[in-house]
Amino acid sequence: MRSRSSGRARARAQQTAAVAGMAAVAILIGACGSARTSDSAASADSGAAASTTADGGSSTARTVGSGVTVTAPTQCGDNVVYRQSDPDSVLATLPDETRANYTIYPYDVRASPWTRFAGRRGPWKIGYINFPVNNPWQVNLSSGLKDQFAQAKAKGLVTGDLDTYIQPSTATATPEQQSAAIEQMVKAGVDGILLHPLNAIAETKAIDDAGKAGVPIVLTGDAAPNSTYALNMFVMNQSPSYADTLRLLKDQGKVDNGRTINVLDVRGIPGNTAEQTYHNEGQATMRACRGMKEIGTVWGQWNPASTKTEVLKFIASHPGNIDFVMQQGSMSAGVIQAFEQAGKPVPPMPMGGTSGGDLAWWAANKDRFSAAGAQYGGKQVAYTAMRILLRTLAGNGPKLRDLAFPAPMVTNDNIDEFATPGKDVTWIGDPRGPLDALADTSRLDGYFSKPGNPGGM
C-alpha cells in the first residue's frame, strides 16, 4: 500500500477487551450427559433469545440482525442446523443447489446494494488486507491471491501491483489497524479490496464507508453480519468436521459410550468473529454426546507453533488422559507435534481446515488415527474470492451479501485423494484438489445475476 503510516500510528498495543468479547452468533443449548467444566462461552450474544426443550435445555437461539434460528444437535454426531429468516427474500432467488448451502451458514442472509451496481470500467486497482500470516493456510491464501492477480493482469482486468497491507505482529495487531488500512486504500484509489479481517464486526464501519465510496470489499474466510456493503465469502468447514468426527467415533464406540471423555479445547484468535462461532458450534456438538468433559482450554492463535507450545504446557501440567481434542483447523500440526514430543498418542480430533502437512501425517497414520474434516486450501479461497470481486466490479450483480460455500469432506476412506504422500507434518502446502473445488464458473453463476467471469478468468 502506498501509505500505511497513519494506519500504524493508530494501532493499539493489544486488542481491546470489548473487541475480544464480540461474537456474531450464540448457540444456547442444554447439557446432555455428564456435566461440563466450562459453559461460559456457550452464550456470547446478549441479544439471543432461546427456546426451551423438554429436558429444560435450550435448543435454538437468535443471532444478531434479523435473526437466524439455530437448532443444536440432540444426537451425538449430528450437526448444528441454521435457518435464516431471509428478511429480504433473497434465498428464493437462488438455484436449489446454491440455496442448500445455507443450512450451515451461521449468520443473517441479506440483500446487497452491489446487486444494482452497474460496474466500473477497468482495468481495476485491487487491494488486499490480512492479519499476520502465521499458518500454512494463510501463506497459501496470500500467494494464491498474488497468482490470481497476475492472471487477471495478463488478461487486462487489473492494473499495477496488488496493493497489500499485512499486519506485522499478532501481539500488536488490532482491528483498528485494518480499518485504517481500508480507509487509506480507498483514498489511494483502489476499486475493490480483498479482506481477511481480524474482527469483522469491529471493522464494519470501515467496510461500509468503503462501500458508500463505491469500493466493494470481499471478506475471505469470515463474515461481517451487521454490514450493509460487505460481500461475505464464507466456507463453513468446522461444524461439519466436528459432527462427522464425533459420529465416526461414536460408531467406533469411542465416544457417547457411558465413559467420561476428557476434552482439551484448542481455540483460535480471541475476538475474531468466526472464532467465537466455531467455538459455540464445537460446544454444541460435544454437548450432544454423553460424557464429554472439558478439562481445559488453550489458545493456539490459529498458529501451529503457538499451538504446540500451549498444548505442551497443558500436557505437562495435566498428567491424566486427554481423550479428545476440539480444535478449529490450522492448528492440527501443533497438536500432533505436542503429543508426539510428549510421548503420548495423538488423540482423535476434527481435521477441518488443515494443511497439506497435517493431511500427509493423517494419511501415513490412518491405521491408528480416525477423523473427518471439510477441507479447502488457501489457494482455492484466493481463486474464488478474486472472481467474486472481479464479477462485482464488472457489474455482474451478486444476488445477496452472503455467499456461502460447502467444502469437500475428507475421511479415512478418501484421505489419499487429498494428501500429498511423503511430506512432513510441518509441510505448508495446500490439500490436493483443483483450484475451483469450492466454486467453478457454473457454481459461481448461482450467486450472481449475470453469469460468467470477466475476461474468461
Side-chain angles (χ1 to χ4, degrees), residues 71-81 239-240 242-244 246-247 250 281 284-286 288-289:
T71 302
T74 57
Q75 300 293 321
C76 185
D78 287 348
N79 198 3
V80 175
V81 176
S239 67
Y242 307 156
D244 282 18
L246 289 169
R247 185 184 309 118
K250 178 183 177 181
E281 290 169 335
T285 53
M286 287 194 296
C289 300

PDB file of all heavy atoms in Angstrom, residues 71-81 239-240 242-244 246-247 250 281 284-286 288-289:
ATOM      1  N   THR A  71     -30.646 -24.637  15.468  1.00  0.00           N
ATOM      2  CA  THR A  71     -31.067 -25.880  16.095  1.00  0.00           C
ATOM      3  C   THR A  71     -29.826 -26.663  16.486  1.00  0.00           C
ATOM      4  O   THR A  71     -29.061 -27.100  15.623  1.00  0.00           O
ATOM      5  CB  THR A  71     -31.940 -26.718  15.150  1.00  0.00           C
ATOM      6  OG1 THR A  71     -33.076 -25.946  14.752  1.00  0.00           O
ATOM      7  CG2 THR A  71     -32.420 -27.989  15.846  1.00  0.00           C
ATOM      8  N   ALA A  72     -29.623 -26.800  17.780  1.00  0.00           N
ATOM      9  CA  ALA A  72     -28.478 -27.551  18.273  1.00  0.00           C
ATOM     10  C   ALA A  72     -28.745 -29.044  18.140  1.00  0.00           C
ATOM     11  O   ALA A  72     -29.892 -29.492  18.211  1.00  0.00           O
ATOM     12  CB  ALA A  72     -28.206 -27.195  19.730  1.00  0.00           C
ATOM     13  N   PRO A  73     -27.695 -29.842  17.936  1.00  0.00           N
ATOM     14  CA  PRO A  73     -27.899 -31.295  17.792  1.00  0.00           C
ATOM     15  C   PRO A  73     -28.364 -31.926  19.098  1.00  0.00           C
ATOM     16  O   PRO A  73     -27.965 -31.511  20.186  1.00  0.00           O
ATOM     17  CB  PRO A  73     -26.512 -31.809  17.394  1.00  0.00           C
ATOM     18  CG  PRO A  73     -25.557 -30.767  17.898  1.00  0.00           C
ATOM     19  CD  PRO A  73     -26.279 -29.464  17.808  1.00  0.00           C
ATOM     20  N   THR A  74     -29.226 -32.919  18.975  1.00  0.00           N
ATOM     21  CA  THR A  74     -29.680 -33.681  20.144  1.00  0.00           C
ATOM     22  C   THR A  74     -29.103 -35.083  20.160  1.00  0.00           C
ATOM     23  O   THR A  74     -29.166 -35.763  21.186  1.00  0.00           O
ATOM     24  CB  THR A  74     -31.212 -33.770  20.169  1.00  0.00           C
ATOM     25  OG1 THR A  74     -31.671 -34.360  18.943  1.00  0.00           O
ATOM     26  CG2 THR A  74     -31.832 -32.382  20.300  1.00  0.00           C
ATOM     27  N   GLN A  75     -28.528 -35.526  19.053  1.00  0.00           N
ATOM     28  CA  GLN A  75     -27.894 -36.835  18.964  1.00  0.00           C
ATOM     29  C   GLN A  75     -26.415 -36.657  18.679  1.00  0.00           C
ATOM     30  O   GLN A  75     -26.031 -35.805  17.884  1.00  0.00           O
ATOM     31  CB  GLN A  75     -28.531 -37.689  17.845  1.00  0.00           C
ATOM     32  CG  GLN A  75     -30.010 -37.959  18.028  1.00  0.00           C
ATOM     33  CD  GLN A  75     -30.280 -38.851  19.219  1.00  0.00           C
ATOM     34  OE1 GLN A  75     -29.535 -39.798  19.480  1.00  0.00           O
ATOM     35  NE2 GLN A  75     -31.348 -38.562  19.949  1.00  0.00           N
ATOM     36  N   CYS A  76     -25.590 -37.462  19.334  1.00  0.00           N
ATOM     37  CA  CYS A  76     -24.155 -37.388  19.118  1.00  0.00           C
ATOM     38  C   CYS A  76     -23.826 -37.650  17.650  1.00  0.00           C
ATOM     39  O   CYS A  76     -24.254 -38.663  17.078  1.00  0.00           O
ATOM     40  CB  CYS A  76     -23.447 -38.412  20.004  1.00  0.00           C
ATOM     41  SG  CYS A  76     -21.643 -38.338  19.939  1.00  0.00           S
ATOM     42  N   GLY A  77     -23.096 -36.740  17.047  1.00  0.00           N
ATOM     43  CA  GLY A  77     -22.731 -36.879  15.645  1.00  0.00           C
ATOM     44  C   GLY A  77     -23.598 -36.090  14.696  1.00  0.00           C
ATOM     45  O   GLY A  77     -23.320 -36.040  13.501  1.00  0.00           O
ATOM     46  N   ASP A  78     -24.665 -35.455  15.218  1.00  0.00           N
ATOM     47  CA  ASP A  78     -25.485 -34.585  14.376  1.00  0.00           C
ATOM     48  C   ASP A  78     -24.856 -33.199  14.324  1.00  0.00           C
ATOM     49  O   ASP A  78     -24.144 -32.777  15.239  1.00  0.00           O
ATOM     50  CB  ASP A  78     -26.908 -34.485  14.921  1.00  0.00           C
ATOM     51  CG  ASP A  78     -27.710 -35.751  14.699  1.00  0.00           C
ATOM     52  OD1 ASP A  78     -27.241 -36.623  13.931  1.00  0.00           O
ATOM     53  OD2 ASP A  78     -28.791 -35.877  15.304  1.00  0.00           O
ATOM     54  N   ASN A  79     -25.175 -32.462  13.269  1.00  0.00           N
ATOM     55  CA  ASN A  79     -24.603 -31.137  13.062  1.00  0.00           C
ATOM     56  C   ASN A  79     -25.562 -30.059  13.537  1.00  0.00           C
ATOM     57  O   ASN A  79     -26.777 -30.280  13.640  1.00  0.00           O
ATOM     58  CB  ASN A  79     -24.297 -30.938  11.574  1.00  0.00           C
ATOM     59  CG  ASN A  79     -23.330 -29.794  11.323  1.00  0.00           C
ATOM     60  OD1 ASN A  79     -22.819 -29.165  12.250  1.00  0.00           O
ATOM     61  ND2 ASN A  79     -23.082 -29.499  10.056  1.00  0.00           N
ATOM     62  N   VAL A  80     -25.019 -28.899  13.828  1.00  0.00           N
ATOM     63  CA  VAL A  80     -25.820 -27.707  14.061  1.00  0.00           C
ATOM     64  C   VAL A  80     -26.512 -27.327  12.753  1.00  0.00           C
ATOM     65  O   VAL A  80     -25.912 -27.421  11.679  1.00  0.00           O
ATOM     66  CB  VAL A  80     -24.925 -26.546  14.544  1.00  0.00           C
ATOM     67  CG1 VAL A  80     -25.710 -25.257  14.683  1.00  0.00           C
ATOM     68  CG2 VAL A  80     -24.246 -26.915  15.852  1.00  0.00           C
ATOM     69  N   VAL A  81     -27.774 -26.919  12.833  1.00  0.00           N
ATOM     70  CA  VAL A  81     -28.529 -26.531  11.643  1.00  0.00           C
ATOM     71  C   VAL A  81     -29.019 -25.097  11.820  1.00  0.00           C
ATOM     72  O   VAL A  81     -29.553 -24.736  12.869  1.00  0.00           O
ATOM     73  CB  VAL A  81     -29.728 -27.470  11.402  1.00  0.00           C
ATOM     74  CG1 VAL A  81     -30.555 -26.985  10.210  1.00  0.00           C
ATOM     75  CG2 VAL A  81     -29.253 -28.899  11.167  1.00  0.00           C
ATOM     76  N   SER A 239     -18.077 -26.830  11.664  1.00  0.00           N
ATOM     77  CA  SER A 239     -19.130 -27.603  12.325  1.00  0.00           C
ATOM     78  C   SER A 239     -19.392 -28.946  11.642  1.00  0.00           C
ATOM     79  O   SER A 239     -19.609 -29.953  12.331  1.00  0.00           O
ATOM     80  CB  SER A 239     -20.418 -26.785  12.444  1.00  0.00           C
ATOM     81  OG  SER A 239     -20.999 -26.521  11.196  1.00  0.00           O
ATOM     82  N   PRO A 240     -19.350 -29.055  10.305  1.00  0.00           N
ATOM     83  CA  PRO A 240     -19.481 -30.395   9.713  1.00  0.00           C
ATOM     84  C   PRO A 240     -18.328 -31.317  10.118  1.00  0.00           C
ATOM     85  O   PRO A 240     -18.538 -32.525  10.283  1.00  0.00           O
ATOM     86  CB  PRO A 240     -19.463 -30.121   8.203  1.00  0.00           C
ATOM     87  CG  PRO A 240     -19.882 -28.704   8.058  1.00  0.00           C
ATOM     88  CD  PRO A 240     -19.328 -28.008   9.259  1.00  0.00           C
ATOM     89  N   TYR A 242     -16.672 -31.209  13.008  1.00  0.00           N
ATOM     90  CA  TYR A 242     -16.934 -31.636  14.385  1.00  0.00           C
ATOM     91  C   TYR A 242     -17.950 -32.786  14.404  1.00  0.00           C
ATOM     92  O   TYR A 242     -17.749 -33.809  15.054  1.00  0.00           O
ATOM     93  CB  TYR A 242     -17.498 -30.483  15.223  1.00  0.00           C
ATOM     94  CG  TYR A 242     -16.708 -29.208  15.237  1.00  0.00           C
ATOM     95  CD1 TYR A 242     -17.336 -28.000  15.527  1.00  0.00           C
ATOM     96  CD2 TYR A 242     -15.339 -29.176  14.974  1.00  0.00           C
ATOM     97  CE1 TYR A 242     -16.629 -26.808  15.563  1.00  0.00           C
ATOM     98  CE2 TYR A 242     -14.628 -27.985  15.006  1.00  0.00           C
ATOM     99  CZ  TYR A 242     -15.280 -26.805  15.284  1.00  0.00           C
ATOM    100  OH  TYR A 242     -14.586 -25.626  15.315  1.00  0.00           O
ATOM    101  N   ALA A 243     -19.066 -32.561  13.701  1.00  0.00           N
ATOM    102  CA  ALA A 243     -20.155 -33.537  13.747  1.00  0.00           C
ATOM    103  C   ALA A 243     -19.741 -34.868  13.137  1.00  0.00           C
ATOM    104  O   ALA A 243     -19.993 -35.942  13.712  1.00  0.00           O
ATOM    105  CB  ALA A 243     -21.376 -32.974  13.014  1.00  0.00           C
ATOM    106  N   ASP A 244     -19.093 -34.829  11.979  1.00  0.00           N
ATOM    107  CA  ASP A 244     -18.728 -36.073  11.306  1.00  0.00           C
ATOM    108  C   ASP A 244     -17.660 -36.841  12.088  1.00  0.00           C
ATOM    109  O   ASP A 244     -17.667 -38.078  12.112  1.00  0.00           O
ATOM    110  CB  ASP A 244     -18.236 -35.783   9.883  1.00  0.00           C
ATOM    111  CG  ASP A 244     -19.378 -35.518   8.919  1.00  0.00           C
ATOM    112  OD1 ASP A 244     -20.492 -35.220   9.398  1.00  0.00           O
ATOM    113  OD2 ASP A 244     -19.177 -35.580   7.697  1.00  0.00           O
ATOM    114  N   LEU A 246     -17.279 -36.792  15.438  1.00  0.00           N
ATOM    115  CA  LEU A 246     -17.942 -37.390  16.586  1.00  0.00           C
ATOM    116  C   LEU A 246     -18.838 -38.554  16.176  1.00  0.00           C
ATOM    117  O   LEU A 246     -18.936 -39.558  16.892  1.00  0.00           O
ATOM    118  CB  LEU A 246     -18.741 -36.324  17.342  1.00  0.00           C
ATOM    119  CG  LEU A 246     -17.883 -35.312  18.109  1.00  0.00           C
ATOM    120  CD1 LEU A 246     -18.727 -34.146  18.606  1.00  0.00           C
ATOM    121  CD2 LEU A 246     -17.160 -35.987  19.276  1.00  0.00           C
ATOM    122  N   ARG A 247     -19.473 -38.449  15.018  1.00  0.00           N
ATOM    123  CA  ARG A 247     -20.292 -39.572  14.537  1.00  0.00           C
ATOM    124  C   ARG A 247     -19.417 -40.791  14.256  1.00  0.00           C
ATOM    125  O   ARG A 247     -19.773 -41.927  14.601  1.00  0.00           O
ATOM    126  CB  ARG A 247     -21.046 -39.174  13.272  1.00  0.00           C
ATOM    127  CG  ARG A 247     -22.023 -40.263  12.777  1.00  0.00           C
ATOM    128  CD  ARG A 247     -22.678 -39.880  11.458  1.00  0.00           C
ATOM    129  NE  ARG A 247     -23.257 -38.560  11.512  1.00  0.00           N
ATOM    130  CZ  ARG A 247     -22.890 -37.543  10.758  1.00  0.00           C
ATOM    131  NH1 ARG A 247     -21.914 -37.703   9.861  1.00  0.00           N
ATOM    132  NH2 ARG A 247     -23.464 -36.370  10.863  1.00  0.00           N
ATOM    133  N   LYS A 250     -18.333 -42.237  17.556  1.00  0.00           N
ATOM    134  CA  LYS A 250     -19.475 -42.921  18.182  1.00  0.00           C
ATOM    135  C   LYS A 250     -19.669 -44.296  17.550  1.00  0.00           C
ATOM    136  O   LYS A 250     -19.884 -45.297  18.246  1.00  0.00           O
ATOM    137  CB  LYS A 250     -20.732 -42.074  18.021  1.00  0.00           C
ATOM    138  CG  LYS A 250     -21.995 -42.732  18.592  1.00  0.00           C
ATOM    139  CD  LYS A 250     -23.222 -41.877  18.326  1.00  0.00           C
ATOM    140  CE  LYS A 250     -24.484 -42.559  18.836  1.00  0.00           C
ATOM    141  NZ  LYS A 250     -25.700 -41.738  18.563  1.00  0.00           N
ATOM    142  N   GLU A 281     -20.153 -23.716  18.094  1.00  0.00           N
ATOM    143  CA  GLU A 281     -20.568 -24.934  17.382  1.00  0.00           C
ATOM    144  C   GLU A 281     -19.890 -26.172  17.966  1.00  0.00           C
ATOM    145  O   GLU A 281     -20.516 -27.238  18.070  1.00  0.00           O
ATOM    146  CB  GLU A 281     -20.252 -24.782  15.897  1.00  0.00           C
ATOM    147  CG  GLU A 281     -21.143 -23.773  15.210  1.00  0.00           C
ATOM    148  CD  GLU A 281     -20.671 -23.415  13.818  1.00  0.00           C
ATOM    149  OE1 GLU A 281     -19.462 -23.546  13.527  1.00  0.00           O
ATOM    150  OE2 GLU A 281     -21.517 -22.979  13.008  1.00  0.00           O
ATOM    151  N   ALA A 284     -21.666 -27.067  21.052  1.00  0.00           N
ATOM    152  CA  ALA A 284     -22.974 -27.658  20.760  1.00  0.00           C
ATOM    153  C   ALA A 284     -22.866 -29.123  20.355  1.00  0.00           C
ATOM    154  O   ALA A 284     -23.627 -29.972  20.830  1.00  0.00           O
ATOM    155  CB  ALA A 284     -23.664 -26.855  19.651  1.00  0.00           C
ATOM    156  N   THR A 285     -21.929 -29.426  19.467  1.00  0.00           N
ATOM    157  CA  THR A 285     -21.816 -30.813  19.000  1.00  0.00           C
ATOM    158  C   THR A 285     -21.322 -31.727  20.108  1.00  0.00           C
ATOM    159  O   THR A 285     -21.752 -32.885  20.207  1.00  0.00           O
ATOM    160  CB  THR A 285     -20.873 -30.903  17.782  1.00  0.00           C
ATOM    161  OG1 THR A 285     -19.621 -30.289  18.087  1.00  0.00           O
ATOM    162  CG2 THR A 285     -21.486 -30.233  16.564  1.00  0.00           C
ATOM    163  N   MET A 286     -20.440 -31.231  20.979  1.00  0.00           N
ATOM    164  CA  MET A 286     -19.969 -32.081  22.076  1.00  0.00           C
ATOM    165  C   MET A 286     -21.047 -32.320  23.122  1.00  0.00           C
ATOM    166  O   MET A 286     -21.122 -33.400  23.715  1.00  0.00           O
ATOM    167  CB  MET A 286     -18.724 -31.464  22.726  1.00  0.00           C
ATOM    168  CG  MET A 286     -17.474 -31.581  21.875  1.00  0.00           C
ATOM    169  SD  MET A 286     -15.952 -31.214  22.789  1.00  0.00           S
ATOM    170  CE  MET A 286     -16.189 -29.492  23.203  1.00  0.00           C
ATOM    171  N   ALA A 288     -24.035 -32.871  22.733  1.00  0.00           N
ATOM    172  CA  ALA A 288     -24.958 -33.921  22.309  1.00  0.00           C
ATOM    173  C   ALA A 288     -24.402 -35.324  22.560  1.00  0.00           C
ATOM    174  O   ALA A 288     -25.117 -36.316  22.380  1.00  0.00           O
ATOM    175  CB  ALA A 288     -25.286 -33.755  20.824  1.00  0.00           C
ATOM    176  N   CYS A 289     -23.138 -35.422  22.944  1.00  0.00           N
ATOM    177  CA  CYS A 289     -22.506 -36.714  23.212  1.00  0.00           C
ATOM    178  C   CYS A 289     -22.344 -36.893  24.719  1.00  0.00           C
ATOM    179  O   CYS A 289     -21.790 -36.024  25.394  1.00  0.00           O
ATOM    180  CB  CYS A 289     -21.130 -36.805  22.537  1.00  0.00           C
ATOM    181  SG  CYS A 289     -21.159 -36.621  20.744  1.00  0.00           S
TER     182      CYS A 289
END
